[in-house]
């Protein structure tokens, strides 16, 4: 047991010695820097606090200069002594100016400003026999303490609490060292200085912690919003993929059945023809199986029931039924079709119906009492959709949650290589315009992957 205890004590002593050896390196890394770290402007006040800080430094500098009363009056001593006294007084006043400048420098470079202020205080207290006209409770003049406390406060606003604590400790250490050079009759206490500097560091570190916490909260909200948008995009794409699965699966089933029936429609089909048709049917069945597997991956926990899932996908042929339901809610809807109606590719037909459905749903939610117009134009190379509504005649009720209507329109249009434009109209209404190409022989350019 003794060996274990001694070994534990030796290890503890080694760790303590390593920690002591690391102190100079830590102080050098934290405080030996001239990095620029400007004080940020406030949201409402702008740089007004910066101007107040400069004014405070100037006024405290003037008050600090008045506190120091060097022996400039002629004395019955030699001229050499008078010259020395004058030089010392000039040096003290120069240090006073440097201390005020340090308070201003702390607005942009807090660490170098703290070094300059600490050095100025130490030299001003120890240089020559210059008298200081202040209460003996302070180791420096009161304006000098105020300036250095202000520098410590600005430092604690920008650096980590550990760095601020290191600066606080070195400040008190320099004050103790300065008192070692003071005359025995002028031995003030460091309690007042310690309390003042501690208050400045604690308040500054607290404000910095609050600012950092607020910044982290804003960043977290931004990341949450980005993640929510990404999740919404993926959910919308999954929903579109589930709908298009039925369309693609139908075509693959037709291909499989036709390949199976084709040999019976030909008199004495060759073995090569039978083999090719069998290969076509086999590939179609395999592709249909893979589509079902992909759909199983895309299914979410809240996927529709089997009855709804296997129902035929809607097309523009059910537009009148959709408009009738919207009119039943009290919304006036007018439809107009231009061009010669013709069969559309299943993907285009389904996407066109969904776009019109989403536009009408948005009008019902956000424009109560408005008049809605749906225009469908069959063009040579595509299908044009335009859904507009007038300004609502009463405020819209609050909508529970954020909808995915516009996002779904964008995804469906981009999938087909079409164009979509949405936005308010000059009369206070809203307009949705989509152009869907019907030439599906050339696939659209692949869109950007989901983030």
């Amino acid at each position: 047991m003794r060996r274990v205890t001694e070994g534990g004590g030796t290890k503890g002593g080694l760790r303590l010695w390593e920690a002591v050896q690391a102190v100079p390196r830590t102080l050098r890394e934290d405080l030996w820097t001239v990095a620029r770290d400007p004080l940020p402007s406030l949201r409402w006040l702008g740089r007004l606090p910066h101007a107040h800080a400069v004014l405070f430094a100037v006024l405290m500098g003037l008050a600090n200069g008045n506190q120091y009363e060097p022996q400039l009056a002629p004395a019955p001593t030699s001229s050499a002594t008078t010259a020395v006294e004058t030089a010392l007084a000039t040096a003290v006043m120069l240090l006073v100016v440097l201390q005020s400048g340090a308070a201003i420098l702390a607005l942009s470079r807090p660490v170098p400003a703290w070094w300059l202020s600490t050095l100025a205080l130490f030299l001003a207290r120890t240089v020559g026999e210059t008298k200081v006209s202040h209460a003996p409770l302070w180791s420096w003049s009161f304006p000098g303490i105020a300036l250095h406390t202000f520098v410590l406060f600005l430092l604690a606003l920008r650096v980590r609490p550990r760095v601020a604590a290191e600066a606080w400790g070195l400040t008190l250490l320099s004050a103790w060292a300065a008192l070692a050079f003071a005359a025995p009759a002028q031995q003030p206490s460091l309690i007042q200085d310690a309390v003042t500097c501690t208050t400045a560091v604690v308040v500054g570190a607290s404000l910095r912690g609050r600012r950092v916490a607020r910044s982290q909260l804003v960043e977290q909200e931004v990341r949450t919003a980005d993640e929510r948008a990404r999740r919404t995009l993926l959910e919308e794409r999954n929903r579109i993929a589930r709908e298009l699965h039925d369309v693609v699966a139908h075509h693959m089933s037709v291909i499989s059945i036709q390949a199976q029936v084709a040999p019976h429609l030909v008199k004495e089909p060759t073995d090569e023809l039978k083999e090719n048709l069998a290969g076509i049917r086999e590939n179609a069945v395999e592709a249909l199986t893979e589509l079902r597997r992909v759909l199983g991956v895309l299914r979410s926990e809240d996927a529709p029931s089997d009855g709804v899932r296997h129902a035929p996908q809607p097309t523009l042929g059910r537009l009148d039924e959709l408009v009738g339901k919207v009119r039943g809610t009290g919304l006036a809807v007018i439809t107009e079709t231009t061009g010669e109606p013709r069969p559309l590719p299943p993907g285009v037909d389904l996407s066109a119906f969904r776009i019109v459905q989403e536009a009408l749903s948005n009008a019902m939610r956000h424009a109560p009492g408005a008049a809605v117009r749906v225009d469908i134009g069959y063009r040579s190379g595509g299908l044009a959709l335009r859904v507009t509504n007038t300004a609502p005649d009463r405020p819209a009720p609050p909508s529970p949650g954020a909808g995915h209507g516009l996002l779904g329109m964008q995804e469906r249009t981009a999938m087909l290589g079409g164009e979509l434009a949405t936005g308010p109209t000059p009369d206070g209404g809203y307009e949705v315009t989509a152009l869907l190409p019907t030439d599906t022989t050339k696939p659209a350019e692949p869109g950007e992957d989901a983030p």
Side-chain angles (χ1 to χ4, degrees):
M1 289 298 293
R2 174 175 295 181
R3 292 181 180 179
V4 175
T5 304
E6 290 178 353
T10 303
K11 292 180 180 179
L14 289 177
R15 286 195 296 267
L16 179 61
W17 176 246
E18 290 175 357
V20 172
Q21 287 181 323
V23 170
R25 184 178 68 254
T26 302
L27 292 177
R28 184 174 64 253
E29 293 175 354
D30 291 343
L31 296 175
W32 195 252
T33 177
V34 293
R36 189 171 183 271
D37 187 8
L39 185 68
S41 59
L42 299 181
R43 178 181 300 179
W44 302 109
L45 299 179
R47 295 196 174 273
L48 183 61
H50 298 67
H52 288 167
V54 173
L55 179 61
F56 173 79
V58 172
L59 294 178
M60 287 295 101
L62 294 176
N64 198 18
N66 293 332
Q67 287 287 326
Y68 286 90
E69 297 178 355
Q71 297 176 338
L72 296 179
T77 57
S78 63
S79 59
T81 304
T82 303
V84 172
E85 293 289 344
T86 303
L88 292 177
T90 304
V92 170
M93 298 307 296
L94 178 61
L95 293 175
V96 169
V97 174
L98 290 178
Q99 191 178 2
S100 298
I104 298 176
L105 180 63
L107 296 174
S108 58
R109 299 181 187 271
V111 176
W114 170 79
W115 278 112
L116 181 60
S117 179
T118 303
L119 180 62
L121 276 178
F122 177 82
L123 294 178
R125 188 65 180 86
T126 59
V127 64
E129 294 294 335
T130 304
K131 295 180 179 179
V132 180
S133 58
H134 58 75
L137 289 176
W138 301 93
S139 55
W140 291 287
S141 66
F142 179 79
I145 287 293
L147 284 171
H148 190 71
T149 301
F150 184 62
V151 172
L152 277 176
F153 172 74
L154 294 178
L155 176 71
L157 280 178
R158 260 82 59 79
V159 299
R160 292 172 298 170
R162 188 187 73 181
V163 180
E166 293 168 354
W168 170 83
L170 292 178
T171 295
L172 296 184
L173 183 62
S174 65
W176 177 83
L179 290 182
F181 294 93
Q186 296 181 357
Q187 286 289 343
S189 174
L190 289 178
I191 297 178
Q192 197 86 346
D193 301 339
V195 172
T196 305
C197 294
T198 302
T199 303
V201 171
V202 170
V203 173
S206 300
L207 293 178
R208 177 187 178 274
R210 180 183 178 185
R211 175 169 54 86
V212 171
R214 188 185 298 112
S215 300
Q216 292 176 349
L217 179 61
V218 172
E219 293 177 0
Q220 182 63 33
E221 290 177 350
V222 171
R223 287 195 297 267
T224 302
D226 293 341
E227 182 62 26
R228 187 183 300 111
R230 178 178 178 274
R231 185 170 61 250
T232 300
L233 177 63
L234 294 178
E235 290 176 355
E236 189 64 26
R237 288 182 176 180
N238 288 345
R239 188 168 71 92
I240 295 173
R242 290 196 297 268
E243 292 180 354
L244 291 179
H245 165 269
D246 296 336
V247 177
V248 178
H250 170 73
H251 287 290
M252 298 304 298
S253 299
V254 171
I255 293 174
S256 175
I257 294 174
Q258 289 178 342
Q260 184 178 9
V261 175
H264 303 284
L265 302 179
V266 181
K267 292 182 179 180
E268 298 180 356
T270 63
D271 295 338
E272 182 179 1
L273 177 61
K274 292 181 179 180
E275 182 179 355
N276 290 335
L277 291 175
I280 293 174
R281 183 178 184 277
E282 182 180 355
N283 290 333
V285 172
E286 291 180 357
L288 186 59
T289 302
E290 294 299 327
L291 279 175
R292 288 171 178 169
R293 291 176 180 173
V294 172
L295 182 64
V297 175
L298 295 178
R299 292 291 184 193
S300 59
E301 296 181 357
D302 57 347
S305 60
D306 291 339
V308 177
R309 183 185 308 168
H310 298 298
Q313 294 296 341
T315 63
L316 287 180
R318 297 175 55 184
L319 181 61
D320 293 338
E321 178 184 350
L322 173 64
V323 172
K325 294 180 179 179
V326 175
R327 287 171 178 165
T329 63
L331 207 64
V333 184
I334 301 175
T335 61
E336 182 177 355
T337 302
T338 59
E340 184 65 25
R342 63 183 185 276
L344 298 172
V348 176
D349 210 357
L350 171 61
S351 297
F353 179 86
R354 291 302 189 193
I355 290 175
V356 174
Q357 184 182 41
E358 293 290 354
L360 292 176
S361 298
N362 290 340
M364 287 189 296
R365 286 195 300 266
H366 305 295
V372 183
R373 180 182 179 89
V374 180
D375 295 305
I376 301 177
Y378 290 86
R379 300 181 180 179
S380 58
L383 179 70
L385 304 174
R386 185 170 180 265
V387 181
T388 59
N389 62 267
T390 60
D393 58 2
R394 60 183 181 274
S399 179
H404 305 163
L406 293 180
L407 179 61
M409 297 179 195
Q410 294 171 357
E411 288 298 315
R412 294 178 187 277
T413 305
M415 175 189 64
L416 298 174
E419 299 177 0
L420 178 71
T422 61
T425 58
D427 60 352
Y430 202 81
E431 178 180 4
V432 175
T433 304
L435 180 59
L436 307 179
T438 56
D439 184 8
T440 58
T441 56
K442 295 181 180 180
E445 292 294 331
E448 189 174 332
D449 292 338

